[in-house]
Amino acid sequence: MIRKIFFPYFLFILTINTFAQSNMTREEYIQKYSLLAIREMQRTGIPASITLAQACLESGNGNSELSRASNNHFGIKCKSSWNGQRVYYDDDARNECFRSYRTVEESFIDHSDFLVENQRYGDLFMLRPTDYKSWAKGLKKAGYATNPHYANQLIDIIEDYELYLYDEGLGENRIPRIVGRPTKENTSTINPYNTRAVSLRNGIKSIEVKAGDTFESIAQEFGMNTWEIYRYNDYQEGRQPIENEILYIEPKNRKGNKNQLTHVFESDDSMHYIAQRYGIKLKPLYRRNRMKQGEIPATGTVIYLRKKAPK
């Protein structure tokens, strides 16, 4: 923990002035600096959720002495390669050198460059940008912080404030639209529906799988648990989605739409395919057609989607 500060007189005056300001809440900090994190994600591939969580933790939501007096929001020390402004604090050792920046934006940019240019963080860039848990654990393993609970602290912040939603849009030539959420904290977050088409099938929200999607990445994208994606789509855990297939992000109905009463089974159909196509839960579909689980109907069989099949 930072305990003591040594810097020139003019910075001391600056510190007094900034400390007079009211402290930012974590929600306010995330709202204020989320755009910087997203821009750095698009520039370097570092998940915005990780950048924001680290900044919240290292800067005390922008309220620490180091962040207020020196715009250092990530606790990055000078190291031999640093040629910029410096300030000195007692941290792990006495009178340690920390980087000082003209603006907060410089701090965010330098944080990204620090990870990109240091070989010990190289393995992180082999991870999926939506795999924030592995990124957090990888940072701790690579020695970013000495706190043994550092990875869990980052993960808790990301999940408590749904920062994984900010990881959407990586690789696209645009910044995802940020929308205000109607909470008393006025938390800002990315609306995932603005980064992927969502359509209604039988009144249920569905998406089409894109190349590279996994159940885990889709769950993170929409702020869901992975088991929910499996359950809503009648899949056993461990299976992964296929490009262009339909997936539901909320529970399907027990029966089909009143405008589509039946389906004629074709040779390349499956009951699961029919359930997905019409937004119906698989088990009720079997029962409605007086079939056992796993039974395959003959080509040309009429599959009833809404009413019980006649005996």
Side-chain angles (χ1 to χ4, degrees):
M1 181 180 291
I2 293 173
R3 295 182 291 278
K4 190 174 181 181
I5 181 169
F6 301 88
F7 46 24
Y9 179 74
F10 75 93
L11 281 180
F12 175 73
I13 298 299
L14 176 62
T15 304
I16 293 176
N17 290 335
T18 54
F19 285 178
Q21 302 169 6
S22 59
N23 285 352
M24 273 193 290
T25 66
R26 181 157 289 172
E27 293 85 354
E28 290 170 338
Y29 184 87
I30 291 167
Q31 186 172 24
K32 186 172 184 178
Y33 295 117
S34 58
L35 194 59
L36 283 180
I38 292 169
R39 285 173 175 165
E40 285 306 292
M41 175 181 70
Q42 294 182 321
R43 183 175 73 91
T44 65
I46 299 167
S49 62
I50 287 291
T51 298
L52 281 170
Q54 284 194 279
C56 287
L57 190 59
E58 298 289 347
S59 73
N61 307 317
N63 300 313
S64 70
E65 294 180 34
L66 182 63
S67 60
R68 284 187 163 181
S70 308
N71 288 318
N72 187 333
H73 283 231
F74 296 90
I76 298 179
K77 297 178 182 178
C78 294
K79 307 297 183 183
S80 59
S81 60
W82 179 246
N83 296 316
Q85 293 293 317
R86 302 166 180 232
V87 289
Y88 295 87
Y89 290 84
D90 288 354
D91 189 29
D92 295 327
R94 183 175 175 81
N95 203 29
E96 290 194 89
C97 180
F98 287 83
R99 301 182 184 190
S100 179
Y101 307 95
R102 291 174 299 176
T103 65
V104 177
E105 182 177 14
E106 284 187 2
S107 178
F108 273 69
I109 291 171
D110 189 54
H111 166 262
S112 300
D113 291 345
F114 179 78
L115 296 183
V116 169
E117 294 168 5
N118 276 271
Q119 187 174 0
R120 64 178 177 170
Y121 300 114
D123 288 346
L124 293 174
F125 294 89
M126 303 298 291
L127 299 170
R128 297 192 310 275
T130 52
D131 189 0
Y132 63 88
K133 290 184 180 179
S134 293
W135 271 85
K137 293 173 183 176
L139 283 168
K140 174 62 184 73
K141 184 177 180 180
Y144 190 95
T146 56
N147 186 334
H149 305 295
Y150 188 73
N152 288 334
Q153 289 176 320
L154 294 182
I155 291 168
D156 287 345
I157 293 171
I158 291 169
E159 294 182 345
D160 287 348
Y161 294 89
E162 298 182 330
L163 300 185
Y164 44 76
L165 296 179
Y166 285 100
D167 296 338
E168 277 307 300
L170 185 63
E172 299 178 14
N173 294 319
R174 62 186 176 85
I175 294 175
R177 177 180 172 217
I178 301 174
V179 297
R181 298 175 62 195
T183 65
K184 60 184 179 181
E185 296 88 7
N186 195 28
T187 305
S188 176
T189 187
I190 286 179
N191 179 353
Y193 299 159
N194 290 326
T195 63
R196 185 197 294 261
V198 176
S199 58
L200 294 178
R201 294 174 180 271
N202 197 15
I204 310 303
K205 291 174 183 175
S206 68
I207 62 170
E208 288 191 10
V209 175
K210 299 187 296 186
D213 280 343
T214 65
F215 281 116
E216 291 77 14
S217 67
I218 292 169
Q220 290 172 12
E221 176 178 343
F222 289 97
M224 301 167 62
N225 295 307
T226 306
W227 65 262
E228 291 178 296
I229 300 292
Y230 283 110
R231 180 176 295 180
Y232 296 167
N233 292 278
D234 297 302
Y235 279 130
Q236 294 294 319
E237 194 167 337
R239 188 219 188 249
Q240 289 300 334
I242 301 171
E243 187 176 359
N244 297 323
E245 78 166 307
I246 298 164
L247 283 184
Y248 291 89
I249 55 175
E250 57 185 8
K252 292 182 290 185
N253 289 324
R254 298 180 64 83
K255 58 184 178 181
N257 190 288
K258 62 182 179 180
N259 296 320
Q260 184 72 49
L261 301 180
T262 62
H263 171 92
V264 178
F265 195 87
E266 299 180 3
S267 59
D268 56 352
D269 282 347
S270 69
M271 291 297 284
H272 185 273
Y273 164 77
I274 295 171
Q276 293 295 94
R277 178 175 174 179
Y278 297 106
I280 307 170
K281 294 180 179 180
L282 185 56
K283 287 183 180 179
L285 182 62
Y286 274 113
R287 288 196 294 267
R288 179 163 288 106
N289 288 275
R290 306 180 189 278
M291 297 170 56
K292 295 179 180 179
Q293 194 91 354
E295 185 178 343
I296 302 174
T299 300
T301 300
V302 175
I303 304 299
Y304 289 80
L305 307 176
R306 189 171 176 84
K307 296 181 179 180
K308 193 83 168 180
K311 292 183 179 180

